[in-house]
Amino acid sequence: MPRIALVTGATSGIGRATAIALAKQGYHIIATGRRAERLQELQEQITEVPVLTLQFDVRDREGLSKAINSMPEEWKAVEVLVNNAGNAHGLAPIQNGDVDDWDAMLDINVKGLLYVTHAVLPLMLAHRKGHIINIGSIAGKEVYANGNVYCASKFAVDAISRGMRIDLVQEGIKVSEVKPGLVETEFSEVRFKGDKDRAATVYQGYEPLRAEDIADLIAFMVTRPAHVNLAEVLVLPTAQASATVLNKQ
Ligand code: NDP
Ligand code: 8X3
C-alpha cells in the first residue's frame, strides 16, 4: 500500500518544499492550496510519485471537507498530514491593528488548521496510524513588538499541538510541532502586502533558513521508527538566537 502525505499550503515556501521532499521519500502527495496554477506546476515537477491536487481555502470548512471526502478511495489512507498553510498579515501595534488582518490570521492559522485536521483525522483513525505535523513558529514561544495577533495564532498552534498529542496518544497517532525562526519564503511579502523591498530587508545581513531546510527536517521526522516521535522542534538560522536577537552584519 502506498504511503500518502497531505501537505497544506503546498503552492509556496515551506509547504512546496515539503511536498517535494516527501515525494523523494516515496510518499504519494496530496498537495493543497488556493492557487490552482501553482498546484499544477508542482504536480508537473514531481515525477517520481503520483500527486493529487486539491484546491481549497482552509477557511472554507465545507469546501475542504467535501474535497477531502471526495478523494478517490486509493488516496484516503492519509498517513502524514502537514498542517502548514498560514501567514502573517501586517506588523502593527495593537492600537493600529487592522481587524481584517486579525480575522485572516486567526481564521487561517488557527481555525483553518483545525478544519483540515477535523476532515483528515477520521481517515487516520480508520487505520489507527498517522502523523500530524503542525507548523508553529518561534512566534508561538515568544511575543515580539507588533507581532501581537500573529504570535497569538502561533501560541494557539502550540496549544492545539500539545492538546492533539495528549488526545491522540491512545489512538497511536503521532503529533509533532515544528517551530521555525526566520525562513526566506513569500511569508514577508504577504505580511507586508506585496511590498517586496520591505520583505527583502527581513532577510538581509545574515543567512536565513531556506524552505528546503524545514522540508529536510520534516522528511527526517516522518522517517523515524514507529516508536520515535520528535514532538517539538525549534529550528533557527545560526544567526538567530531568539525572536528578536539576530546577528546581522
Ligand atoms: P508562504 O507565504 O511562502 O506560503 C504560505 C502557504 O500557505 C502558501 O502555499 C499559501 O497558498 C498557503 N495559504 C495561505 N493562506 C491560505 C488559505 N487561506 N487557504 C489555503 N492555503 C493558504 O509562507 P511560508 O512557507 O513561510 O509559511 C508556511 C507556514 O510556515 C506558515 O504557517 C507560517 O506561519 C509558518 N512559518 C513561517 C516562517 C517564516 O519565517 N517564513 C517561520 C515560522 C513559521 P495559497 O496562497 O496558494 O493558498
Ligand atoms: C514567522 C517567523 O519571526 O517572523 O513565524 O514571526 S517570525
Side-chain angles (χ1 to χ4, degrees), residues 2 20 47 54 69 87 103 112 145 168 187 203 205 216-217 221-222 239:
I20 292 168
T47 50
L54 299 179
N69 289 319
N87 266 138
D103 277 346
L168 292 169
F187 177 85
Y203 308 108
D216 275 357
L217 175 63
M221 291 167 80
V222 302

Side-chain angles (χ1 to χ4, degrees), residues 19 85 164 174 195 198 201:
M164 281 182 179
K174 294 187 193 183
D195 183 340
R198 187 172 177 201
T201 63

Side-chain angles (χ1 to χ4, degrees), residues 14 22 107-108 110 128 153-154 156 186 205 229 245:
I14 295 170
L22 295 185
D107 288 349
I108 298 167
V110 184
R128 286 186 64 85
S153 76
K154 291 298 181 180
E186 293 175 14
N229 180 23
V245 178

